[in-house]
Amino acid sequence: MNDVLPDEAELWEHFEETVRAWLDAYGYRNVRTPLLEHTTLFRRAIGEATDIVEKEMYSFVDELNGEHLTLRPEATASVVRAAVEHSLLHAGPQRLWYMGPMYRHERPQKGRYRQFHQVGAEALGYAGPDVDAELLLMCARLWDDLGLAGIRLHLNSLGGPAERLAHREALVAYLRRHEGDLDEDSGRRLHTNPLRVLDSKNPAMQQLVAGAPRLLDYLGDASLAHFEGVQAVLKDAGLPYTIDPRLVRGLDYYNLTVFEWVTDRLGAQGTVCGGGRYDGLIEQIGGKPAPAAGFALGVERLIALMREGDERLGSTVDVYVVNQGEGAARLAFRAAERLRDRGLSVIQHCGGGSFKSQMKRADASGAAIAVIIGEDEAAAGEVTLKPLREDRGQSRVTLDRLADAVSDLMYGEGPE
Ligand code: HAM
């Protein structure tokens, strides 16, 4: 679990602003759900035989009332729960988004944390491939908006329950024939969640998996048409993608379209976004049957890419107010507030110290201008202005003229 310190937080804020404008451009509306949910919600939605539910959830019993609770490991289940609980779909389909921390007790490593953040978009009540394609075009636009290149789209279709069942039988038969070659994890999964064997990171398993029956070959006409519908839009938009038959995702609620966006620049944890269609989940959680699709972005991983791009965001402080003496401090408060009335960002020096040390702070703050107030200025009700980033002389102005004078210095003298 990480602290985000101010230098890095600037990048987070830039990211969050970009993301809000981007979601707005696609008509997504914000939803905020609790960090805690009943444990059963995640067990049912994500699936008993998944890594998340088997070994990664922060679950506990509330001693006060015996309830079994879990810190959310993801938010799709929460959003669907909220939509069902508040009958949101009665008003028609919903495009919803969220941003916030998620919790998984994983083995920490670069790019994999126990508290991490996601931005998610969930389109509830949409059945067609058009919304799947829109979700993908959205992601591509965000990479552009963030100035990130080299994020590749991997796409697959998991079909429907009957198709998966038929494929599962063939897959289990294949894996049984090679049971002696399975590693421990895959041997266990053969009995609990055989589809996940396809997803194994072990190179030895990957070779075995290459010869396994492909789910894509078990898709019926309707599933294939849906998949082709998604691809047609991507082709029209000129968005490249790779069909990856081994892409199965680590959560059980998916059907039809699944996807991941991957980069080579983050080492082993290169997936910056994952998602897909989950047509059965709303009904499973107690709502009227309704289709849905969505994705979640890994914020830490995207921030790491942004940092790598050496994106430097300068300080946004405009003015630093240096002041010494009691009268000066009082005048400093009034001066700073007047400047803020103008929409400027102002740091007022607090805690005293020599002019020299205060000027050092002013310089380090990144401010464009120092407002200097000593005993002299205080007695006269005036302040001294000193541009910090260019070689221009100081000037002295009255409090009433201050805001105009600072604006002139910062933005040049506008038309009268
Ligand atoms: P997920 O693939 O489990 O999907 O997570 C989505 C993204 O969150 C990952 O691609 C990764 O970037 C990031 N992420 C996951 N775990 C960690 C971690 N331990 N540390 C850092 N980043 C992490 C879901 O959560 C689904 N709810 C996505 C979805 C929404 N599907 C449909 N709608």
Side-chain angles (χ1 to χ4, degrees):
M1 302 194 188
N2 296 313
D3 296 312
V4 178
L5 302 176
D7 276 348
E8 169 121 339
E10 279 178 14
L11 216 48
W12 279 72
E13 288 183 328
H14 170 63
F15 174 84
E16 287 164 10
E17 275 165 30
T18 308
V19 153
R20 281 174 205 279
W22 160 73
L23 289 158
D24 203 43
Y26 286 86
Y28 277 74
R29 299 176 68 212
N30 187 215
V31 53
R32 298 169 189 233
T33 64
L35 297 191
L36 284 177
E37 297 276 356
H38 284 120
T39 302
T40 49
L41 173 69
F42 299 117
R43 300 188 82 97
R44 274 164 49 196
I46 298 170
E48 295 286 351
T50 57
D51 283 352
I52 296 178
V53 169
E54 274 181 354
K55 50 191 187 202
E56 293 172 1
M57 295 209 300
Y58 285 95
S59 299
F60 60 96
V61 180
D62 182 341
E63 288 182 4
L64 297 176
N65 59 9
E67 283 182 325
H68 291 255
L69 302 176
T70 293
L71 276 172
R72 64 180 187 194
E74 62 108 48
T76 307
S78 310
V79 169
V80 167
R81 190 230 6 100
V84 169
E85 193 171 320
H86 304 285
S87 310
L88 287 189
L89 287 168
H90 284 188
Q94 301 280 328
R95 285 176 163 89
L96 304 173
W97 71 271
Y98 53 86
M99 167 150 59
M102 310 290 157
Y103 301 85
R104 296 184 193 176
H105 196 111
E106 302 195 75
R107 201 165 52 79
Q109 50 184 291
K110 181 170 173 265
R112 173 172 285 174
Y113 308 108
R114 291 182 172 172
Q115 176 185 274
F116 60 97
H117 294 73
Q118 287 184 341
V119 171
E122 312 289 357
L124 308 182
Y126 296 92
D130 48 358
V131 88
D132 307 35
E134 185 190 75
L135 287 164
L136 293 168
L137 296 184
M138 257 175 100
C139 291
R141 178 179 293 277
L142 180 64
W143 316 146
D144 260 9
D145 289 352
L146 294 172
L148 299 176
I151 304 180
R152 289 172 285 105
L153 172 58
H154 288 220
L155 195 62
N156 193 17
S157 175
L158 299 183
E163 293 154 346
R164 268 210 304 287
L165 200 62
H167 167 258
R168 184 186 160 118
E169 279 170 14
L171 178 64
V172 168
Y174 173 86
L175 294 174
R176 283 237 166 87
R177 282 202 299 279
H178 297 85
E179 200 160 355
D181 301 329
L182 295 180
D183 63 14
E184 193 188 325
D185 237 17
S186 300
R188 201 167 43 81
R189 282 184 173 146
L190 164 59
H191 301 288
T192 57
N193 197 347
L195 204 57
R196 291 284 292 166
V197 176
L198 300 181
D199 200 27
S200 170
K201 300 284 178 284
N202 180 348
M205 287 302 96
Q206 286 175 9
Q207 219 177 8
L208 198 142
V209 157
R214 298 178 349 146
L215 182 43
L216 275 178
D217 298 327
Y218 287 76
L219 298 191
D221 289 345
S223 296
L224 280 174
H226 197 282
F227 196 33
E228 273 154 20
V230 178
Q231 295 177 60
V233 181
L234 300 184
K235 283 183 188 138
D236 268 356
L239 184 71
Y241 58 90
T242 307
I243 293 182
D244 179 354
R246 284 188 319 177
L247 176 61
V248 297
R249 308 275 300 131
L251 306 92
D252 280 356
Y253 48 62
Y254 293 107
N255 67 300
L256 292 173
T257 319
V258 288
F259 56 87
E260 287 182 351
W261 289 88
V262 187
T263 170
D264 297 329
R265 287 189 289 145
L266 291 176
Q269 306 306 322
T271 307
V272 294
C273 172
R277 182 158 280 285
Y278 49 93
D279 291 331
L281 186 60
I282 296 176
E283 182 180 18
Q284 197 192 333
I285 286 179
K288 279 218 324 242
F295 61 72
L297 317 172
V299 178
E300 280 80 359
R301 295 181 188 178
L302 288 168
I303 299 266
L305 283 180
M306 289 164 70
R307 201 187 313 111
E308 205 200 36
D310 202 28
E311 177 144 356
R312 294 240 164 270
L313 298 172
S315 158
T316 51
V317 186
D318 299 314
V319 179
Y320 195 99
V321 182
V322 167
N323 60 95
Q324 199 177 46
E326 219 175 279
R330 285 213 299 277
L331 189 57
F333 274 106
R334 291 167 61 201
E337 288 300 330
R338 291 236 181 153
L339 292 170
R340 293 184 189 117
D341 286 344
R342 270 299 172 91
L344 294 165
S345 148
V346 183
I347 293 181
Q348 177 175 343
H349 184 87
C350 289
S354 69
F355 272 123
K356 196 172 158 208
S357 69
Q358 292 194 34
M359 286 305 289
K360 264 198 191 152
R361 291 278 182 86
D363 196 43
S365 75
I369 294 169
V371 167
I372 303 167
I373 311 177
E375 302 282 343
D376 249 23
E377 284 91 345
E382 293 180 348
V383 307
T384 296
L385 298 184
K386 182 174 166 54
L388 294 171
R389 310 291 152 201
E390 46 191 329
D391 213 4
R392 278 161 80 171
Q394 318 195 143
S395 52
R396 198 156 149 163
V397 297
T398 62
L399 194 60
D400 286 339
R401 274 273 307 140
L402 170 65
D404 283 337
V406 168
S407 301
D408 287 350
L409 278 174
M410 288 191 56
Y411 309 114
E413 308 205 23
E416 284 298 300

